[in-house]
Amino acid sequence: MKTPLLSMKNGLTAAMLLLTGIASAQQWQVTGNGGITPANYAGTVDPRPFFLRTNGASSNPGQAILNEAGSFIVDAVNNSNVAKVKGSIVNGISNVLGSQAGSSLVSGWENDLSNGGGANIIGGQANVVMNNAGKSVALGWKNIIRNSNQFALGVGIDLKDVYSGGFGIDLAATGNRSFVIGSGTGSAKLTNNIPLSIMFGLSPTATMLIKDKSVGILTLNPTATFHTVGTVRFESLPTGSGNALVVDASGNIMVSTTPLSKMATSDETIQALEDRIKNLENTVEELKQLLLNNGTSTSLTSSDVAQLSQNVPNPTRNGTSISYYLPDNAKTASIEVYNISGQLVKSLPLREKGNGSIKLSGSDLPSGTYVYKMTTDGKVTGSKKMVIRD
């Protein structure tokens, strides 16, 4: 009798211990749990991943994993991502993180950080981080990070030296702290290999480079604050006054120390050229007449008709000479000079018969355009235009 009672006592003792253990164990409730501590958690006690799933009974459940290394993975295709490091967050398809790529954020498809360093932010498809590079950003498609502290935003950007960056398509930066913005072509990248510079362009040839407080247009070696190679066009500029811009032999543009004076308009320039051509034509005609007379006579004419010649030189600054021919039978003759308003400003009587001339000094008339005519015995013999300059 004593033996059965002892056995019952021992059984009751074991049952009580089991119930006590069950009562003290954490019971996880889907409606929430309290009293969670580092020693009282949901997870695994061995190096195996902890799976969170939705629709777990289906063939393709939604899945997130706190993997055996300690990175959190949200799969777009279940079990396709690999993270061999602690502390990273990965979501997408077939992304790979190596053992040094800790504390990184990776989102997208087929991004390769198998040889990458830590603290990278990668998004998009087929971006690659190499050479244990860390603290970099690559967003887009097929960008390559080869060194630390780089950023690539776009497609096909290849960054080599530290602190470099690119924004665009088919770009490369190989210089320390070099940046490139724009687009190359599929077969050739727009490449900035100049340290401490920013390059812009839309082809493999750069359009603009900013370097050390200088801006170069179509040159990679600016030697001035603004250095351009090629044409420069200004349109719809405001009017004003001031000093002129001058260009030296090296192409440097500077402000002239001499203030601008009145410049001839295009119409005035054309008129001056036309006057000069007319003057040359008159001179040639006079020389022709001398040659026809076998060079033995200095007469402007052999007729008995009064004639007036173009003043020489014309235009003039320091003085000019007006030649004429006055026949012997002429009784009265004169040359009158009129300004462009039609006012008579000078009348010169002619007393010498035959070939003669009168001279006007630079002080006789102010600068301007004049018309002079010859009158013989009350009849106008001819008229010419004369230009006096400052």
Side-chain angles (χ1 to χ4, degrees):
M1 184 67 182
K2 192 174 190 178
T3 299
L5 289 175
L6 181 60
S7 297
M8 182 179 294
K9 180 181 179 181
N10 291 338
L12 289 172
T13 301
M16 291 179 64
L17 290 173
L18 178 61
L19 291 173
T20 300
I22 293 173
S24 63
Q26 176 68 46
Q27 302 296 313
W28 293 98
Q29 305 294 326
V30 296
T31 57
N33 297 276
I36 305 301
T37 69
N40 187 17
Y41 57 87
T44 65
V45 296
D46 53 7
R48 294 184 182 183
F50 178 58
F51 287 83
L52 298 174
R53 286 183 173 176
T54 60
N55 198 19
S58 71
S59 59
N60 185 29
Q63 176 173 292
I65 307 170
L66 182 61
N67 75 354
E68 62 274 18
S71 287
F72 191 76
I73 301 172
V74 179
D75 287 323
V77 172
N78 288 345
N79 306 313
S80 64
N81 297 286
V82 176
K84 299 180 179 180
V85 66
K86 182 179 180 180
S88 292
I89 299 176
V90 183
N91 70 82
I93 302 171
S94 300
N95 299 291
V96 178
L97 279 68
S99 60
Q100 301 299 315
S103 302
S104 294
L105 301 176
V106 180
S107 176
W109 311 331
E110 302 167 350
N111 297 295
D112 185 359
L113 284 75
S114 57
N115 294 312
N120 292 298
I121 299 176
I122 309 297
Q125 182 177 5
N127 298 291
V128 179
V129 181
M130 306 171 64
N131 305 322
N132 201 29
K135 297 170 289 183
S136 295
V137 176
L139 302 177
W141 182 37
K142 290 188 175 181
N143 300 305
I144 301 177
I145 301 293
R146 300 178 185 269
N147 218 316
S148 297
N149 302 301
Q150 298 178 329
F151 71 89
L153 284 77
V155 176
I157 302 173
D158 191 345
L159 304 178
K160 295 184 179 180
D161 212 338
V162 293
Y163 303 111
S164 59
F167 180 82
I169 301 173
D170 292 327
L171 308 173
T174 63
N176 184 292
R177 290 174 171 83
S178 62
F179 302 89
V180 58
I181 300 172
S183 175
T185 63
S187 59
K189 295 182 183 293
L190 174 62
T191 301
N192 187 1
N193 56 11
I194 301 173
L196 301 169
S197 68
I198 304 175
M199 178 181 289
F200 300 85
L202 294 173
S203 72
T205 300
T207 299
M208 182 171 71
L209 182 82
I210 301 176
K211 176 187 177 185
D212 193 23
K213 300 179 182 179
S214 296
V215 177
I217 304 296
L218 297 180
T219 177
L220 298 182
N221 186 30
T223 57
T225 303
F226 182 80
H227 182 173
T228 181
V229 176
T231 58
V232 177
R233 179 182 178 185
F234 298 99
E235 187 173 350
S236 301
L237 293 177
T239 58
S241 60
N243 288 13
L245 297 178
V246 294
V247 183
D248 67 10
S250 299
N252 297 305
I253 300 176
M254 298 166 287
V255 177
S256 173
T257 57
T258 304
L260 284 172
S261 60
K262 181 179 182 296
M263 303 296 291
T265 65
S266 59
D267 290 342
E268 290 173 340
T269 302
I270 293 172
Q271 184 62 53
L273 292 173
E274 289 178 347
D275 291 342
R276 183 169 295 181
I277 291 171
K278 186 66 176 177
N279 185 39
L280 291 173
E281 289 175 346
N282 291 334
T283 302
V284 170
E285 184 62 29
E286 292 175 2
L287 291 173
K288 184 190 296 184
Q289 293 298 326
L290 289 175
L291 291 174
L292 290 175
N293 292 329
N294 296 320
T296 59
S297 172
T298 58
S299 298
L300 293 176
T301 179
S302 60
S303 70
D304 289 331
V305 178
Q307 292 191 18
L308 178 65
S309 298
Q310 181 69 51
N311 65 300
V312 179
N314 185 48
T316 182
R317 284 188 175 87
N318 300 318
T320 187
S321 175
I322 303 174
S323 298
Y324 63 90
Y325 174 78
L326 188 63
D328 291 337
N329 59 359
K331 295 179 181 180
T332 61
S334 63
I335 292 178
E336 292 88 23
V337 182
Y338 298 84
N339 62 21
I340 58 174
S341 298
Q343 297 173 325
L344 177 65
V345 295
K346 206 168 196 59
S347 181
L348 305 168
L350 304 178
R351 297 182 177 88
E352 184 181 356
K353 301 295 179 69
N355 294 305
S357 65
I358 58 174
K359 295 185 181 296
L360 296 173
S361 67
S363 60
D364 287 334
L365 295 170
S367 62
T369 301
Y370 298 88
V371 174
Y372 62 92
K373 68 178 181 178
M374 180 178 176
T375 303
T376 306
D377 295 333
K379 296 181 179 180
V380 177
T381 303
S383 63
K384 305 288 183 182
K385 183 184 289 187
M386 176 172 58
V387 178
I388 307 296
R389 291 183 175 173
D390 292 331

